Amino acid sequence: MQTLRASKCGLSTAQLPSSILDVIDALNKAGYEAYIVGGGVRDLMLGHAPKDFDAVTNATPAQVKEVFGRRCRIIGRRFELAHVYSGRELIEVATFRAPPKKAVTSAAGMILRDNNWGTIEQDFARRDFSINAMYYQPRKGIVLDFCNAVDDIKHKTLRLLGDPQLRFEEDPVRMLRTLRFAAKLNFSIDEKILDVFTPELTQLLRDVSPHRLYDESQKLFTMGHLKRVLPMLIDFGIWHQLFADIKPDVNAFIELAAKNTDQRISIGKTINPAFFYAVLLWIPFQERCQFYLNKGMVPAEARAQAGLDVLKRQATRTIIPRFAETFIREVWEMQTRLLNPKPQQIEALSGHARFRAGFDFLLLREKSGDDSTQGMGLWWDEYQQMSTDEKERAISQYNRQRAKNRRKATQDEVEPKNAQQQTEIEPLVNEPEPRNRRQRKPKVSAHERTVSVVAASASGEIGADHPIMKRRRVKRDLSQVIFGPTQ
Ligand code: ATP
Ligand code: MG
């Protein structure tokens, strides 16, 4: 172990937010050791802006709770941690950990519980990469380096502590972390890791919970180097584990969306983490739509069913939270709306909560060479920049063109007589009402049903139970699932 002067490593307390210093000071004052560790130290040494700062201490979570009282919450079961609120920030405070006991690892060697407290040396040994295992004591102005990690920083090398095969078996998510840090920091991966990191080994990810994999996938999408990491995910066989139904191919659309995501992050714009899932799953979604259309389903129903199917299958790998699922389906549904909007809905559509995401998606499709957007990406782009008068003119021009196209396409088809003039925009994806609020359908007894059919046929009218009425009712139900114009 070497003790380095923090100033020699380019570190100073001036770079630290008061929140992390407060936490370190309070723990020291209560008589505990406390260090900053992990990505915060690594990023500062590399001259990057750290995402956050993690603290580590010899105080157990219960003792941390005693120090911070109501500002502290203990979280996690597999990996117990203290969350300390300092000002408006949240600092994760971990306790030095010893190697896990045999009884808490799975048959494949995966660590199931990791709450065995230990010394700083033991804590060091169970961290993942050398560059993530430097302990910075800002008040003493020192950095504890147990494995010459500064050299790895200098040589831009990602090195796992211990035997890589064993470390991946203990926690297969470290494979994802390897690619994330290599891409994010632009580091080369140590030969010893490359020797064992085979597509076969990625099978171990099957044992990791879909919740954890979703979280990790979000970190991959939002680290600012998505474009760089995507081919790596394919090369190392991780893609197949995360996105089983998505062809391992960074097509033009995916690549442009990745580049766009990275750019947004670099200029501090927010991104919805579900957006990239909508991009990745776009082709499987369309293929599934086609499958249902070929079976004779109406387009709206095909889209609704295909969306559910594709997301459900993806959720077996990385869970898709409810909010993300709704967002993704709305972005997809917006594609139909934006492609063929009713003229009287155009202005309202441009103010829809999901318009921005739907439009960005459409434009990315168009810019990446998808001509099925029929130039509507650009049309909407221009539309948004127009004055009210210009918008009116653009809409009537669009209307004329649309009517012309329709006449051409459906020359001998008669328009429905009283086509509804809707100006209100309905929700794109209707959430089912909570069970207890759903109205119960009045039960119709078999006898009543027979009577109504008999009465109807006797009077020559069509009763509520006539097959044709059922067909209409099906249509109405569908409109409650997905609204909007069909193709
Ligand atoms: P960033 O926050 O920039 O994504 P980080 O290195 O801080 O990167 P965290 O997930 O915040 O990553 O974890 C903090 C530290 O905890 C890591 O630097 C590492 O020392 C340790 N750590 C996290 N996950 C693992 C893991 N799966 N195995 C071993 N150590 C880990
Ligand atoms: Mg961190």
Side-chain angles (χ1 to χ4, degrees):
M1 196 270 285
Q2 50 178 341
T3 305
L4 307 167
R5 285 240 303 281
S7 56
K8 276 206 152 175
C9 303
L11 303 174
S12 86
T13 49
Q15 299 161 308
L16 300 174
S18 59
S19 50
I20 182 74
L21 287 170
D22 286 347
V23 170
I24 300 281
D25 289 343
L27 287 165
N28 286 163
K29 203 168 151 218
Y32 299 110
E33 287 175 55
Y35 297 88
I36 307 174
V37 70
V41 184
R42 176 198 70 215
D43 289 349
L44 281 181
M45 285 176 77
L46 285 165
H48 300 180
K51 202 176 74 196
D52 50 31
F53 290 94
D54 302 299
V56 67
T57 176
N58 60 348
T60 63
Q63 288 167 331
V64 176
K65 172 96 188 138
E66 261 174 43
V67 174
F68 294 97
R70 292 178 57 182
R71 288 167 58 201
C72 171
R73 271 184 44 203
I74 298 174
I75 62 139
R77 256 163 60 83
R78 192 186 77 90
F79 196 91
E80 204 175 274
L81 276 180
H83 270 177
V84 177
Y85 293 87
S86 181
R88 303 179 83 207
E89 280 168 59
L90 183 133
I91 307 285
E92 271 188 14
V93 182
T95 304
F96 292 149
R97 278 174 163 77
K101 294 180 182 139
K102 194 94 195 127
V104 289
T105 57
S106 73
M110 195 162 95
I111 300 174
L112 303 175
R113 284 267 168 102
D114 196 359
N115 293 323
N116 203 22
W117 316 134
T119 63
I120 189 168
E121 287 83 3
Q122 289 173 316
D123 187 85
F124 150 74
R126 49 153 300 285
R127 291 192 175 265
D128 49 5
F129 302 99
S130 61
I131 56 164
N132 285 349
M134 288 177 285
Y135 296 73
Y136 173 30
Q137 208 332 316
R139 294 305 186 195
K140 291 188 188 157
I142 55 167
V143 176
L144 306 185
D145 180 359
F146 293 87
C147 59
N148 208 11
V150 275
D151 246 29
D152 291 333
I153 291 259
K154 220 181 282 164
H155 296 116
K156 290 175 145 274
T157 303
L158 199 59
R159 191 161 58 83
L160 264 172
L161 301 176
D163 173 28
Q165 172 88 23
L166 221 73
R167 302 308 312 274
F168 284 153
E169 282 168 5
E170 273 176 3
D171 183 2
V173 165
R174 290 175 188 148
M175 288 185 258
L176 286 177
R177 289 175 66 87
T178 303
L179 301 190
R180 173 152 67 89
F181 292 126
K184 178 177 161 170
L185 308 170
N186 206 8
F187 270 35
S188 51
I189 302 173
D190 178 29
E191 283 293 330
K192 277 197 199 151
I193 299 180
L194 295 175
D195 286 348
V196 302
F197 199 157
T198 58
E200 292 77 60
L201 200 72
T202 66
Q203 296 278 347
L204 293 174
L205 284 164
R206 291 292 187 92
D207 295 335
V208 177
S209 85
H211 285 93
R212 194 159 172 230
L213 288 183
Y214 178 78
D215 287 349
E216 286 300 324
S217 71
Q218 294 309 294
K219 290 182 188 171
L220 286 172
F221 296 173
T222 58
M223 71 168 156
H225 295 282
L226 181 52
K227 191 171 163 237
R228 193 185 287 159
V229 87
L230 288 176
M232 295 168 77
L233 294 179
I234 296 176
D235 289 350
F236 283 83
I238 298 275
W239 179 292
H240 184 65
Q241 300 303 335
L242 287 182
F243 322 117
D245 286 345
I246 307 170
K247 198 170 145 217
D249 169 33
V250 183
N251 62 35
F253 176 43
I254 294 178
E255 181 163 341
L256 192 65
K259 193 170 150 209
N260 189 257
T261 306
D262 292 343
Q263 273 167 354
R264 286 181 70 97
I265 290 166
S266 75
I267 55 172
K269 276 198 186 177
T270 57
I271 58 155
N272 185 323
F275 188 87
F276 200 67
Y277 267 112
V279 170
L280 285 175
L281 293 166
W282 176 238
I283 290 182
F285 166 68
Q286 283 180 303
E287 287 171 354
R288 197 69 185 157
C289 279
Q290 201 50 53
F291 166 82
Y292 282 123
L293 289 173
N294 293 345
K295 283 190 151 194
M297 241 186 218
V298 295
E301 192 189 358
R303 292 197 302 274
Q305 199 51 53
L308 288 173
D309 287 1
V310 166
L311 291 168
K312 201 167 155 196
R313 281 187 60 90
Q314 178 56 34
T316 60
R317 294 302 167 97
T318 62
I319 207 84
I320 305 283
R322 189 59 179 269
F323 81 89
E325 187 185 313
T326 306
F327 175 87
I328 294 167
R329 291 179 60 205
E330 287 185 340
V331 167
W332 289 341
E333 188 56 20
M334 259 291 171
Q335 301 311 294
T336 310
R337 297 263 189 115
L338 295 179
L339 192 65
N340 188 19
K342 291 177 186 167
Q344 67 272 29
Q345 285 194 338
I346 287 177
E347 187 51 25
L349 205 51
S350 71
H352 193 285
R354 210 47 81 216
F355 172 78
R356 198 23 56 197
F359 161 71
D360 284 346
F361 194 94
L362 185 75
L363 201 58
L364 285 170
R365 284 172 57 202
E366 197 163 294
K367 283 187 175 169
S368 60
D370 178 351
D371 51 19
S372 69
T373 64
Q374 296 165 27
M376 284 307 282
L378 203 63
W379 189 89
W380 279 104
D381 194 19
E382 285 168 359
Y383 179 81
Q384 291 168 77
Q385 292 155 36
M386 290 177 183
S387 67
T388 316
D389 286 352
E390 287 170 337
K391 279 182 177 175
E392 267 177 28
R393 274 199 297 277
I395 292 174
S396 44
Q397 198 187 353
Y398 164 81
N399 199 5
R400 278 196 300 277
Q401 188 59 41
R402 186 174 187 252
K404 217 155 109 191
N405 292 350
R406 278 191 156 188
R407 268 199 305 276
K408 227 192 269 169
T410 58
Q411 259 169 3
D412 38 18
E413 256 184 52
V414 189
E415 286 269 323
K417 265 187 216 141
N418 49 355
Q420 271 186 5
Q421 294 265 317
Q422 286 173 315
T423 47
E424 234 178 66
I425 304 288
E426 313 89 339
L428 293 173
V429 176
N430 243 16
E431 294 291 339
E433 271 198 67
R435 199 168 275 281
N436 54 3
R437 270 198 272 141
R438 265 185 241 163
Q439 272 186 348
R440 288 235 176 112
K441 279 195 193 141
K443 276 192 185 157
V444 182
S445 70
H447 169 73
E448 281 171 316
R449 245 181 283 139
T450 327
V451 170
S452 85
V453 171
V454 171
S457 45
S459 66
E461 280 173 25
I462 298 169
D465 263 89
H466 190 281
I468 204 157
M469 292 305 281
K470 280 193 185 152
R471 251 180 50 205
R472 282 180 58 188
R473 189 152 357 113
V474 169
K475 267 195 174 169
R476 223 173 295 138
D477 280 355
L478 285 177
S479 71
Q480 284 171 10
V481 180
I482 294 283
F483 288 92
T486 53
Q487 286 142 357

